[in-house]
Amino acid sequence: MNWRKLRVFVLTVLVLCLIPATRYYQIDVPLMRYLKGSRTVDPLSLHLAGEFVENNLGTEQGADGSVTVRMIAQQYLFVPHCILVPAGVPVHLRITSADAVHSLAFNGTIYNVKVLPGTISEARLQFSSPGEFKTVCREFCGAGHYAMRSALKVVPRDQFPVLRSGERGNCEAR
Ligand code: CUA
């Protein structure tokens, strides 16, 4: 066997193993940024311009029925405070931090998303049945860490409000 070929082969395998590993740990590496487009955002101007301005936060429904949730984690709360999603539908979560490192977890589920300032964290969520989950912060982020709590409400698909374009869903029923 040609040693040079073997070396190239081993290196290729190592690199290929590295890609899913970085996804698993949700580490923002330059390679993923290159592959998925820029995921950086300025934490100091979140509320002024861009994707995470206040009226863009919450649950959004695309024309094709896809559901996207945008949130901000900050000391010591999640915005919006309560999010509403339909059951049985894939939910695309996009979240960033305005200050420290946080970790968004929905109690009783497998989901746990690390949130860093300057970066958009993404996750695919799906909830099979309706229910209410406590949203908690699992990364020590300061004095108010243990009070950093909010809620996630999963409602049956037919009870999820039909959102007009530009409208955002939240827990206050219309
Ligand atoms: Cu945010 Cu702990």
PDB file of all heavy atoms in Angstrom, residues 73-76 78 101-103 137-142 144-146 148, ligand 1:
ATOM      1  N   ALA A  73     -31.586  35.412  24.515  1.00  0.00           N
ATOM      2  CA  ALA A  73     -31.294  35.094  25.907  1.00  0.00           C
ATOM      3  C   ALA A  73     -30.472  36.239  26.457  1.00  0.00           C
ATOM      4  O   ALA A  73     -29.554  36.720  25.810  1.00  0.00           O
ATOM      5  CB  ALA A  73     -30.513  33.791  26.000  1.00  0.00           C
ATOM      6  N   GLN A  74     -30.860  36.729  27.630  1.00  0.00           N
ATOM      7  CA  GLN A  74     -30.086  37.796  28.248  1.00  0.00           C
ATOM      8  C   GLN A  74     -30.189  37.668  29.751  1.00  0.00           C
ATOM      9  O   GLN A  74     -31.078  37.003  30.269  1.00  0.00           O
ATOM     10  CB  GLN A  74     -30.575  39.168  27.774  1.00  0.00           C
ATOM     11  CG  GLN A  74     -32.022  39.474  28.126  1.00  0.00           C
ATOM     12  CD  GLN A  74     -32.494  40.773  27.512  1.00  0.00           C
ATOM     13  OE1 GLN A  74     -32.720  40.860  26.318  1.00  0.00           O
ATOM     14  NE2 GLN A  74     -32.639  41.793  28.349  1.00  0.00           N
ATOM     15  N   GLN A  75     -29.279  38.324  30.461  1.00  0.00           N
ATOM     16  CA  GLN A  75     -29.313  38.268  31.919  1.00  0.00           C
ATOM     17  C   GLN A  75     -30.551  39.026  32.405  1.00  0.00           C
ATOM     18  O   GLN A  75     -30.616  40.231  32.199  1.00  0.00           O
ATOM     19  CB  GLN A  75     -28.042  38.870  32.504  1.00  0.00           C
ATOM     20  CG  GLN A  75     -26.814  37.978  32.261  1.00  0.00           C
ATOM     21  CD  GLN A  75     -25.511  38.717  32.437  1.00  0.00           C
ATOM     22  OE1 GLN A  75     -25.418  39.896  32.094  1.00  0.00           O
ATOM     23  NE2 GLN A  75     -24.481  38.064  32.917  1.00  0.00           N
ATOM     24  N   TYR A  76     -31.562  38.449  33.033  1.00  0.00           N
ATOM     25  CA  TYR A  76     -31.710  37.027  33.290  1.00  0.00           C
ATOM     26  C   TYR A  76     -33.082  36.603  32.817  1.00  0.00           C
ATOM     27  O   TYR A  76     -33.950  36.286  33.608  1.00  0.00           O
ATOM     28  CB  TYR A  76     -31.558  36.754  34.797  1.00  0.00           C
ATOM     29  CG  TYR A  76     -30.143  37.112  35.258  1.00  0.00           C
ATOM     30  CD1 TYR A  76     -29.886  38.305  35.918  1.00  0.00           C
ATOM     31  CD2 TYR A  76     -29.076  36.248  34.980  1.00  0.00           C
ATOM     32  CE1 TYR A  76     -28.580  38.635  36.308  1.00  0.00           C
ATOM     33  CE2 TYR A  76     -27.777  36.578  35.373  1.00  0.00           C
ATOM     34  CZ  TYR A  76     -27.549  37.770  36.027  1.00  0.00           C
ATOM     35  OH  TYR A  76     -26.287  38.105  36.395  1.00  0.00           O
ATOM     36  N   PHE A  78     -35.445  35.098  29.076  1.00  0.00           N
ATOM     37  CA  PHE A  78     -35.543  34.760  27.666  1.00  0.00           C
ATOM     38  C   PHE A  78     -36.629  35.638  27.060  1.00  0.00           C
ATOM     39  O   PHE A  78     -37.672  35.854  27.669  1.00  0.00           O
ATOM     40  CB  PHE A  78     -35.942  33.292  27.476  1.00  0.00           C
ATOM     41  CG  PHE A  78     -34.898  32.316  27.927  1.00  0.00           C
ATOM     42  CD1 PHE A  78     -35.033  31.644  29.130  1.00  0.00           C
ATOM     43  CD2 PHE A  78     -33.776  32.051  27.152  1.00  0.00           C
ATOM     44  CE1 PHE A  78     -34.082  30.722  29.556  1.00  0.00           C
ATOM     45  CE2 PHE A  78     -32.817  31.140  27.562  1.00  0.00           C
ATOM     46  CZ  PHE A  78     -32.968  30.478  28.772  1.00  0.00           C
ATOM     47  N   VAL A 101     -22.834  33.875  28.156  1.00  0.00           N
ATOM     48  CA  VAL A 101     -23.148  32.558  27.604  1.00  0.00           C
ATOM     49  C   VAL A 101     -24.297  31.966  28.416  1.00  0.00           C
ATOM     50  O   VAL A 101     -24.258  31.930  29.641  1.00  0.00           O
ATOM     51  CB  VAL A 101     -21.923  31.613  27.660  1.00  0.00           C
ATOM     52  CG1 VAL A 101     -22.301  30.220  27.169  1.00  0.00           C
ATOM     53  CG2 VAL A 101     -20.794  32.186  26.825  1.00  0.00           C
ATOM     54  N   HIS A 102     -25.342  31.559  27.727  1.00  0.00           N
ATOM     55  CA  HIS A 102     -26.484  30.914  28.367  1.00  0.00           C
ATOM     56  C   HIS A 102     -26.683  29.551  27.722  1.00  0.00           C
ATOM     57  O   HIS A 102     -26.048  29.234  26.716  1.00  0.00           O
ATOM     58  CB  HIS A 102     -27.760  31.742  28.175  1.00  0.00           C
ATOM     59  CG  HIS A 102     -27.662  33.150  28.667  1.00  0.00           C
ATOM     60  ND1 HIS A 102     -27.893  33.500  29.974  1.00  0.00           N
ATOM     61  CD2 HIS A 102     -27.353  34.301  28.019  1.00  0.00           C
ATOM     62  CE1 HIS A 102     -27.732  34.811  30.115  1.00  0.00           C
ATOM     63  NE2 HIS A 102     -27.399  35.329  28.940  1.00  0.00           N
ATOM     64  N   SER A 103     -27.600  28.782  28.298  1.00  0.00           N
ATOM     65  CA  SER A 103     -27.948  27.519  27.676  1.00  0.00           C
ATOM     66  C   SER A 103     -29.440  27.310  27.841  1.00  0.00           C
ATOM     67  O   SER A 103     -29.948  27.238  28.950  1.00  0.00           O
ATOM     68  CB  SER A 103     -27.159  26.386  28.326  1.00  0.00           C
ATOM     69  OG  SER A 103     -27.248  25.240  27.527  1.00  0.00           O
ATOM     70  N   CYS A 137     -32.423  28.075  32.023  1.00  0.00           N
ATOM     71  CA  CYS A 137     -31.054  28.313  31.615  1.00  0.00           C
ATOM     72  C   CYS A 137     -30.168  27.310  32.343  1.00  0.00           C
ATOM     73  O   CYS A 137     -30.255  27.161  33.548  1.00  0.00           O
ATOM     74  CB  CYS A 137     -30.631  29.737  31.951  1.00  0.00           C
ATOM     75  SG  CYS A 137     -28.937  30.103  31.473  1.00  0.00           S
ATOM     76  N   ARG A 138     -29.339  26.592  31.600  1.00  0.00           N
ATOM     77  CA  ARG A 138     -28.511  25.547  32.206  1.00  0.00           C
ATOM     78  C   ARG A 138     -27.033  25.907  32.224  1.00  0.00           C
ATOM     79  O   ARG A 138     -26.191  25.052  32.429  1.00  0.00           O
ATOM     80  CB  ARG A 138     -28.699  24.230  31.429  1.00  0.00           C
ATOM     81  CG  ARG A 138     -30.048  23.602  31.615  1.00  0.00           C
ATOM     82  CD  ARG A 138     -29.934  22.239  32.279  1.00  0.00           C
ATOM     83  NE  ARG A 138     -31.255  21.665  32.505  1.00  0.00           N
ATOM     84  CZ  ARG A 138     -31.825  20.782  31.704  1.00  0.00           C
ATOM     85  NH1 ARG A 138     -31.186  20.371  30.644  1.00  0.00           N
ATOM     86  NH2 ARG A 138     -33.017  20.314  31.972  1.00  0.00           N
ATOM     87  N   GLU A 139     -26.734  27.178  31.941  1.00  0.00           N
ATOM     88  CA  GLU A 139     -25.325  27.589  31.978  1.00  0.00           C
ATOM     89  C   GLU A 139     -25.237  28.705  33.009  1.00  0.00           C
ATOM     90  O   GLU A 139     -25.981  29.690  32.896  1.00  0.00           O
ATOM     91  CB  GLU A 139     -24.912  28.099  30.594  1.00  0.00           C
ATOM     92  CG  GLU A 139     -23.492  28.595  30.489  1.00  0.00           C
ATOM     93  CD  GLU A 139     -22.491  27.471  30.209  1.00  0.00           C
ATOM     94  OE1 GLU A 139     -22.873  26.482  29.550  1.00  0.00           O
ATOM     95  OE2 GLU A 139     -21.351  27.593  30.670  1.00  0.00           O
ATOM     96  N   PHE A 140     -24.343  28.571  33.980  1.00  0.00           N
ATOM     97  CA  PHE A 140     -24.273  29.615  34.990  1.00  0.00           C
ATOM     98  C   PHE A 140     -23.887  30.937  34.335  1.00  0.00           C
ATOM     99  O   PHE A 140     -22.841  31.045  33.701  1.00  0.00           O
ATOM    100  CB  PHE A 140     -23.268  29.262  36.091  1.00  0.00           C
ATOM    101  CG  PHE A 140     -23.275  30.292  37.182  1.00  0.00           C
ATOM    102  CD1 PHE A 140     -24.280  30.290  38.136  1.00  0.00           C
ATOM    103  CD2 PHE A 140     -22.325  31.294  37.228  1.00  0.00           C
ATOM    104  CE1 PHE A 140     -24.321  31.256  39.128  1.00  0.00           C
ATOM    105  CE2 PHE A 140     -22.351  32.264  38.210  1.00  0.00           C
ATOM    106  CZ  PHE A 140     -23.362  32.237  39.161  1.00  0.00           C
ATOM    107  N   CYS A 141     -24.780  31.946  34.474  1.00  0.00           N
ATOM    108  CA  CYS A 141     -24.566  33.180  33.727  1.00  0.00           C
ATOM    109  C   CYS A 141     -24.553  34.413  34.631  1.00  0.00           C
ATOM    110  O   CYS A 141     -24.561  35.536  34.153  1.00  0.00           O
ATOM    111  CB  CYS A 141     -25.627  33.314  32.641  1.00  0.00           C
ATOM    112  SG  CYS A 141     -27.302  33.182  33.257  1.00  0.00           S
ATOM    113  N   GLY A 142     -24.540  34.210  35.943  1.00  0.00           N
ATOM    114  CA  GLY A 142     -24.479  35.343  36.857  1.00  0.00           C
ATOM    115  C   GLY A 142     -25.435  35.176  38.023  1.00  0.00           C
ATOM    116  O   GLY A 142     -26.043  34.119  38.205  1.00  0.00           O
ATOM    117  N   GLY A 144     -28.376  36.111  38.714  1.00  0.00           N
ATOM    118  CA  GLY A 144     -29.784  35.781  38.501  1.00  0.00           C
ATOM    119  C   GLY A 144     -30.014  34.501  37.712  1.00  0.00           C
ATOM    120  O   GLY A 144     -31.126  34.215  37.289  1.00  0.00           O
ATOM    121  N   HIS A 145     -28.951  33.729  37.554  1.00  0.00           N
ATOM    122  CA  HIS A 145     -29.039  32.511  36.722  1.00  0.00           C
ATOM    123  C   HIS A 145     -30.198  31.607  37.115  1.00  0.00           C
ATOM    124  O   HIS A 145     -30.949  31.134  36.265  1.00  0.00           O
ATOM    125  CB  HIS A 145     -27.714  31.751  36.797  1.00  0.00           C
ATOM    126  CG  HIS A 145     -27.802  30.334  36.355  1.00  0.00           C
ATOM    127  ND1 HIS A 145     -27.991  29.980  35.041  1.00  0.00           N
ATOM    128  CD2 HIS A 145     -27.764  29.164  37.061  1.00  0.00           C
ATOM    129  CE1 HIS A 145     -28.043  28.648  34.948  1.00  0.00           C
ATOM    130  NE2 HIS A 145     -27.913  28.140  36.158  1.00  0.00           N
ATOM    131  N   TYR A 146     -30.344  31.369  38.432  1.00  0.00           N
ATOM    132  CA  TYR A 146     -31.351  30.398  38.861  1.00  0.00           C
ATOM    133  C   TYR A 146     -32.771  30.921  38.689  1.00  0.00           C
ATOM    134  O   TYR A 146     -33.726  30.175  38.814  1.00  0.00           O
ATOM    135  CB  TYR A 146     -31.082  29.970  40.312  1.00  0.00           C
ATOM    136  CG  TYR A 146     -29.770  29.237  40.418  1.00  0.00           C
ATOM    137  CD1 TYR A 146     -28.623  29.865  40.886  1.00  0.00           C
ATOM    138  CD2 TYR A 146     -29.670  27.914  39.972  1.00  0.00           C
ATOM    139  CE1 TYR A 146     -27.411  29.197  40.930  1.00  0.00           C
ATOM    140  CE2 TYR A 146     -28.465  27.239  40.005  1.00  0.00           C
ATOM    141  CZ  TYR A 146     -27.342  27.881  40.483  1.00  0.00           C
ATOM    142  OH  TYR A 146     -26.140  27.216  40.510  1.00  0.00           O
ATOM    143  N   MET A 148     -33.598  32.467  35.869  1.00  0.00           N
ATOM    144  CA  MET A 148     -33.764  32.627  34.430  1.00  0.00           C
ATOM    145  C   MET A 148     -34.674  31.508  33.919  1.00  0.00           C
ATOM    146  O   MET A 148     -34.226  30.440  33.535  1.00  0.00           O
ATOM    147  CB  MET A 148     -32.392  32.583  33.742  1.00  0.00           C
ATOM    148  CG  MET A 148     -32.432  33.048  32.305  1.00  0.00           C
ATOM    149  SD  MET A 148     -30.809  33.517  31.728  1.00  0.00           S
ATOM    150  CE  MET A 148     -31.093  33.516  29.958  1.00  0.00           C
TER     151      MET A 148
HETATM  152 CU1  CUA B   1     -28.638  32.370  31.655  1.00  0.00          CU
HETATM  153 CU2  CUA B   1     -27.893  30.999  33.325  1.00  0.00          CU
END
